[in-house]
Amino acid sequence: MADQVNPLKLVSLLLQYPEPDAVEEIHRFDLADVGPVSPAQRQALAGFLDWYRSLDLDQLRRSYVDNFDFDRRRSLHLTYQLHGDSRQRGLALLKIKNVYRDAGLVPDETELPDYLPLMLEFAALAPDSAGRDLLDQHRESIELIQAGLSGADSPW
């Protein structure tokens, strides 16, 4: 059996803006390779993957923009959830960047360090519990996004 794919890595990929290569990868992806996940988590991922795969690239992109780009409550930039564009946000971004650096991982500089897909990928790759701890520190923002998506009846 091949190595299992960390579910955080898959969710990171699913929450990124749909680009052709990533969408193609998701279409080839076998959910049986993801683990460890509970039966309920596997069922939720399967349902979302079915929806995701049923749309073409343009539909996915429209849905992504409609769901994440126009409402602060659904922004995937976690520090923006709580701080908006303030000095406190700048400090929070610096703290996240330092966590990445301390773990020996250098994220892509084209994205802010609080971008949820980036943080999920970090959590999947980080040594020890550094990535999970970072996600836990931003639980409130993640829950705000989830509530915003649920309130909008979003498949995301």
Side-chain angles (χ1 to χ4, degrees):
M1 182 168 116
D3 290 333
Q4 288 192 310
V5 175
N6 187 308
L8 296 175
K9 175 68 175 158
L10 173 59
V11 174
S12 170
L13 186 61
L14 291 169
L15 287 177
Q16 293 176 36
Y17 182 77
E19 294 291 354
D21 290 344
V23 171
E24 185 177 316
E25 183 178 345
I26 290 167
H27 278 272
R28 289 191 315 263
F29 195 82
D30 186 349
L31 191 54
D33 294 335
V34 177
V37 293
S38 71
Q41 291 167 330
R42 188 172 301 282
Q43 184 177 3
L45 280 171
F48 184 78
L49 280 170
D50 287 344
W51 171 81
Y52 190 100
R53 290 170 173 164
S54 73
L55 302 179
D56 67 30
L57 182 62
D58 289 336
Q59 291 170 318
L60 280 170
R61 286 178 165 176
R62 273 192 303 278
S63 178
Y64 186 93
V65 169
D66 289 346
N67 279 280
F68 298 116
D69 289 354
F70 297 119
D71 190 325
R72 176 180 176 163
R73 295 168 298 170
R74 297 189 309 251
S75 170
L76 294 178
H77 290 91
L78 299 185
T79 62
Y80 187 72
Q81 293 289 333
L82 300 177
H83 304 297
D85 285 325
S86 69
R87 179 182 168 102
Q88 289 85 7
R89 181 175 186 215
L91 295 172
L93 289 169
L94 183 59
K95 286 180 184 179
I96 295 169
K97 202 171 191 177
N98 287 337
V99 171
Y100 294 153
R101 188 192 68 235
D102 292 347
L105 300 172
V106 178
D108 181 358
E109 292 289 330
T110 62
E111 191 58 69
L112 290 172
D114 68 335
Y115 183 52
L116 181 56
L118 179 62
M119 293 176 76
L120 289 165
E121 188 166 350
F122 173 71
L125 299 172
D128 305 319
S129 65
R132 294 279 184 157
D133 293 346
L134 187 60
L135 289 174
D136 285 344
Q137 292 167 18
H138 293 86
R139 178 178 299 276
E140 182 179 359
S141 295
I142 294 168
E143 289 174 356
L144 287 170
I145 296 167
Q146 190 275 330
L149 291 169
S150 291
D153 291 324
S154 170
W156 295 92

